[in-house]
Amino acid sequence: RASNLPVMDGMFGLSDPYCTVQLGSPEAIPGKTFSTAVQYNKLDPIWNDTFIFPIDFHERVVKGDAKVVLHLHVYDYDAMSQHDLIGFCCMDVSQLLDQAMHEGGTTSCCESRWIKLQQTVKEKATTIFGRNRKVSQIKVTTQVTIPLSDIADKGSQGGTSPAQGIHAGRNNQIGRAHV
């Protein structure tokens, strides 16, 4: 969901917002970028959509400090022309991922928060203000789960860290983004 989006469709119109969600690269990658439905004539849309992403656990273990970032872009749908970018935001889910690894995958780790939408003006990110000069923002709920099938017997690993009891294979974790 989003709140206080700016009017994009003329002086007396509203906006027809939709949101794209991408894990990793901010550039849209076919098949890995998800999109909500368009909410016509809304400045406070409620999409209520959930997207599921595989997360490369092996890369997180090997690199250690590699960030896992969720990129969201909110657009105004235009039937006759190119869709207009209303704003974007990023959510670093690395800490949530680390928490899931630390807990050994026995629970899902979840975080929900409002994030300010931004736009780039002269190569500088600036906050977007919508109706009544209030900050435009989007609410994102993220959840990270390590499937139980990927948790090894910790006793056979000989380690004390729960993360050591997880097979370091590829795409072991599931990330969910709800907008």
Side-chain angles (χ1 to χ4, degrees), residues 3-170:
S3 69
N4 303 313
L5 295 181
V7 171
M8 299 295 287
D9 294 335
M11 207 158 79
F12 300 107
L14 295 171
S15 292
D16 303 319
Y18 69 95
C19 180
T20 63
V21 182
Q22 168 78 27
L23 185 70
S25 171
E27 293 81 31
I29 300 172
K32 295 192 177 190
T33 300
F34 297 93
S35 182
T36 66
V38 176
Q39 296 286 310
Y40 295 96
N41 299 313
K42 304 277 184 181
L43 296 178
D44 298 305
I46 300 174
W47 295 293
N48 209 23
D49 285 333
T50 300
F51 304 105
I52 299 174
F53 300 91
I55 298 174
D56 190 344
F57 173 76
H58 177 73
E59 184 173 326
R60 183 79 180 143
V61 170
V62 171
K63 292 186 178 177
D65 61 346
K67 289 192 178 207
V68 179
V69 179
L70 194 64
H71 298 272
L72 299 105
H73 292 83
V74 178
Y75 292 91
D76 176 52
Y77 174 83
D78 289 317
M80 300 298 207
S81 63
Q82 185 175 353
H83 307 290
D84 301 315
L85 177 65
I86 296 174
F88 66 89
C89 64
C90 299
M91 182 177 187
D92 185 348
V93 295
S94 301
Q95 287 183 339
L96 199 59
L97 185 60
D98 289 343
Q99 182 181 350
M101 289 168 32
H102 178 72
E103 292 177 7
T106 56
T107 61
S108 293
C109 298
C110 188
E111 177 182 7
S112 185
R113 65 178 155 148
W114 286 95
I115 304 171
K116 294 177 185 177
L117 285 177
Q118 299 181 325
Q119 61 184 348
T120 303
V121 177
K122 296 182 182 177
E123 298 183 22
K124 182 180 178 187
T126 60
T127 300
I128 296 173
F129 294 91
R131 140 187 90 196
N132 300 326
R133 299 288 301 149
K134 292 183 179 178
V135 173
S136 297
Q137 51 189 351
I138 187 168
K139 186 173 186 179
V140 181
T141 301
T142 54
Q143 177 183 0
V144 174
T145 303
I146 301 172
L148 293 176
S149 62
D150 293 325
I151 299 174
D153 176 18
K154 292 176 190 166
S156 67
Q157 295 290 322
T160 58
S161 168
Q164 290 177 341
I166 302 170
H167 294 296
R170 295 219 175 253

